Amino acid sequence: MSEQKWNLVTREGLQVSVRPAGIDDETLLMELFDHVSPQDLRFRFLSAIKHASRQQIAELIGVGHGAVQSYIAFARNTTTPIATAVLACDGEKRRAETAISVRSDFKGHGLGWGLLGLMVQEAKRHGMEKIESIEDRSNYDAVELEQNMGFKIKPYPDDPSLLLLSKSLVA
C-alpha cells in the first residue's frame, strides 16, 4: 500500500487525514458504511441496500482491478473512518469516475468538497483527461457541489433517474 497521505482542512475547520485504502481496510470501510444514512447508501450504490456487502467493499478497494484506487478519510489523530472516495480509471486511462461517501455525523462540514477536490487533483496527476460522476437526480447536494466545482451536467444514457456530471481536466 502507498505511504501517500493528504491532510485536508474543511471550510468548517475539520482537520482530516486521507490515505489510500487497501485490502486490510475492509473492516474499516464496513464500519464506515454502517454509519452512512440509508439514503446516502442508495445514492452511493444506486440501489436500495441496508448494508454494504463484502463484495461491494472489495470492489471499492479495487481487489482484482488495478484501475481502481480507493481512499479513506479519518478525523485527524483518530482511527475512526469518516469518509471514503473512489477513483476508477477507464481502460485507456483517459477518463476517471469518482464516488464519495461521508458518515452521516460528519456531513455538512465541507468534507465532500475537500475529497472531490482531492479526486480531481489525483485524476490530473494520473494523466486523466476527464473526471465523471454518476448521480441520482434526487441527490441535490452532490449535484450542486459538483456543479460548483465546475462539473457539467447531462442526462445519463438509458436511465432517466440518473445524471452524468463531468469535468475536463485538460487545458
Side-chain angles (χ1 to χ4, degrees):
M1 181 183 343
S2 171
E3 294 298 319
Q4 179 76 41
K5 290 188 180 183
W6 300 266
N7 293 313
L8 306 175
V9 179
T10 71
R11 69 169 187 267
E12 298 288 324
L14 178 65
Q15 295 185 10
V16 180
S17 177
V18 181
R19 66 166 172 78
I23 191 71
D24 294 338
D25 292 319
E26 179 181 314
T27 302
L28 285 174
L29 288 168
M30 295 289 284
E31 175 188 337
L32 168 65
F33 281 109
D34 283 344
H35 292 88
V36 170
S37 74
Q39 181 180 29
D40 286 341
L41 280 173
R42 183 175 62 80
F43 288 153
R44 173 59 188 88
F45 295 103
L46 300 177
S47 66
I49 61 171
K50 291 184 179 186
H51 300 282
S53 70
R54 288 187 179 273
Q55 177 63 33
Q56 288 167 316
I57 297 299
E59 289 171 8
L60 287 180
I61 296 172
V63 173
H65 304 286
V68 175
Q69 178 61 63
S70 185
Y71 301 80
I72 190 165
F74 303 87
R76 189 95 35 94
N77 300 322
T78 74
T79 58
T80 302
I82 60 172
T84 184
V86 174
L87 195 63
C89 304
D90 69 357
E92 293 83 41
K93 301 243 179 193
R94 290 187 175 158
R95 187 177 50 84
E97 182 182 330
T98 191
I100 296 168
S101 297
V102 178
R103 270 178 67 124
S104 297
D105 52 340
F106 281 88
K107 291 186 72 137
H109 295 282
L111 186 51
W113 178 271
L115 286 173
L116 184 58
L118 178 61
M119 293 303 96
V120 168
Q121 173 188 316
E122 283 297 286
K124 284 181 184 177
R125 187 174 71 81
H126 290 292
M128 300 294 124
E129 296 173 6
K130 181 189 287 189
I131 187 168
E132 298 176 332
S133 177
I134 300 168
E135 300 293 351
D136 185 293
R137 283 184 180 273
S138 61
N139 192 352
Y140 305 115
D141 291 340
V143 171
E144 180 180 24
L145 183 151
E146 291 166 24
Q147 284 185 298
N148 287 341
M149 197 170 276
F151 282 65
K152 303 299 180 206
I153 188 169
K154 292 183 187 175
Y156 189 80
D158 301 323
D159 191 334
S161 69
L162 301 177
L163 297 171
L164 178 64
L165 290 100
S166 64
K167 179 179 176 123
S168 175
L169 302 176
V170 293

